[in-house]
Amino acid sequence: MSILSKDRVKKYILPYLSQGKRGRNLTEDKRVSIVLSIFHRLKTGCQWRELPLEKYFKENYSYESVFYHFNKWSKDGSWERMWACLLNKYKTYLNLSNIQLDGSQTRANRGGNKVGFQFRKADETTNFLYLSDSQGILIAISEPISGQHHDLADIKQQFSQMINWLNKANIRTDGLFLNADAGFDSQECRCICTQFQIEANIAFNTRNGSINDRKEYFDELLYENRYVIERAFAWLDAFKALLIRYETTAINWLNLNIIGMIVCFVRKISSKLKC
């Protein structure tokens, strides 16, 4: 079972993965097998030691070695570089007539970095903020956020982090229309959007006073497109490793989510390119 074919792995994935500076470099087939094993972990949610390595490798290979490469590529920025480069190269397949902002929470069963107790979940969680285009293609992700914080916690830093993804992909922010639910209805969030020349279409939160007294413009018809980011979350939920967090380090958890975003994007563009 593979969520991307070997040919697509060779075309879209391998060019961005670093190789060691010392010793013999891995063969292309070995690197493909390692990537497919990581994808198996992403798809099934199995533990690293339960990977069916005989399915992907012709010779004996250990799960520790697969994890070593996943961890190495996370720490040296390979997955992040891959994501930014793919967005930049294929951004013509995005629809940026409007973008969507939303947050997502994931239970963290083993604790770790950026984990906190969330009362609504009655459990420890880690949060992310995401941006998607108007098709529901995820285009940016924040740093992991400890679960006891709400979506507006440290919004300036988290929003700037997501805008940094767009800058890396040479996606301009000026003039973008952004939809967000009432949880993001704050003066700080609106000011940040203005700072990046983004037109904020944020639903009004009744806790901030009577809707009739608000001066900000809210386009209900445009806001209806916000559902596409919920669909994007459903696509990510197809990857069982992302339903519950078992990675204890924040950088590995972030990069596992980035890999999920990469796979969804590659599937989208490759279906249009017929390759």
Side-chain angles (χ1 to χ4, degrees):
M1 176 187 61
S2 175
I3 56 181
L4 284 182
S5 68
K6 289 185 178 181
D7 288 340
R8 289 179 178 178
V9 169
K10 291 178 182 179
K11 179 176 180 178
Y12 298 104
I13 307 298
L14 291 193
Y16 306 103
L17 296 176
S18 64
Q19 294 219 56
K21 297 181 179 179
R22 298 181 180 179
R24 291 192 309 172
N25 287 332
L26 296 172
T27 65
E28 182 180 70
D29 287 344
K30 179 67 69 65
R31 297 172 80 211
V32 169
S33 296
I34 292 170
V35 171
L36 292 179
S37 298
I38 294 171
F39 286 174
H40 184 98
R41 152 86 174 124
L42 176 70
K43 177 64 177 177
T44 67
C46 71
Q47 298 177 353
W48 290 102
R49 63 173 177 267
E50 298 298 330
L51 287 173
L53 299 176
E54 67 283 352
K55 183 175 181 178
Y56 300 106
F57 296 91
K58 297 178 181 178
E59 70 286 346
N60 290 333
Y61 206 72
S62 67
Y63 76 86
E64 291 99 332
S65 296
V66 174
F67 177 78
Y68 166 82
H69 287 288
F70 164 72
N71 185 56
K72 172 179 175 291
W73 290 329
S74 294
K75 291 181 176 179
D76 69 17
S78 289
W79 300 115
E80 295 186 30
R81 183 167 55 253
M82 181 189 309
W83 176 235
C85 289
L86 287 173
L87 276 180
N88 184 33
K89 186 173 182 179
Y90 298 104
K91 60 177 174 283
T92 55
Y93 293 93
L94 300 174
N95 184 335
L96 298 173
S97 57
N98 56 82
I99 61 175
Q100 327 303 322
L101 168 66
D102 205 357
S104 179
Q105 300 176 341
T106 306
R107 286 185 169 86
N109 281 9
R110 293 183 60 196
N113 307 129
K114 302 293 184 179
V115 171
F117 187 82
Q118 171 56 247
F119 286 97
R120 285 187 298 171
K121 296 282 187 179
D123 207 344
E124 291 191 323
T125 67
T126 299
N127 308 342
F128 284 115
L129 298 182
Y130 295 88
L131 291 175
S132 82
D133 76 346
S134 66
Q135 304 169 92
I137 297 176
L138 295 173
I139 56 176
I141 185 173
S142 70
E143 294 292 328
I145 305 167
S146 185
Q148 73 267 25
H149 299 299
H150 52 71
D151 287 340
L152 282 174
D154 206 9
I155 186 63
K156 185 174 183 179
Q157 178 181 338
Q158 301 302 336
F159 196 87
S160 297
Q161 173 67 25
M162 292 188 289
I163 295 300
N164 188 45
W165 282 111
L166 303 187
N167 291 337
K168 289 179 181 179
N170 291 317
I171 297 174
R172 297 180 59 179
T173 61
D174 53 305
L176 288 177
F177 289 89
L178 179 142
N179 287 319
D181 64 29
F184 293 94
D185 182 22
S186 74
Q187 193 61 38
E188 184 180 16
C189 187
R190 293 179 184 273
C191 287
I192 295 169
C193 289
T194 301
Q195 175 186 335
F196 291 105
Q197 297 180 294
I198 294 173
E199 300 293 333
N201 191 51
I202 303 175
F204 296 142
N205 192 329
T206 55
R207 294 181 180 179
N208 295 333
S210 172
I211 294 176
N212 297 327
D213 297 332
R214 301 292 295 271
K215 297 180 180 180
E216 299 92 348
Y217 178 73
F218 176 64
D219 189 323
E220 294 185 4
L221 186 61
L222 178 63
Y223 184 75
E224 289 179 0
N225 199 50
R226 201 193 71 84
Y227 81 92
V228 298
I229 197 168
E230 301 292 347
R231 186 176 64 191
F233 292 159
W235 291 341
L236 284 185
D237 285 347
F239 305 130
K240 299 300 189 293
L242 304 184
L243 291 176
I244 298 177
R245 174 182 169 180
Y246 286 101
E247 303 294 335
T248 56
T249 62
I251 190 169
N252 281 352
W253 177 236
L254 169 63
N255 279 273
L256 197 62
N257 280 267
I258 290 174
I259 295 172
M261 293 164 63
I262 289 171
V263 170
C264 290
F265 187 55
V266 168
R267 283 175 169 175
K268 186 77 173 180
I269 60 179
S270 57
S271 65
K272 292 184 177 181
L273 293 170
K274 306 300 182 183
C275 63

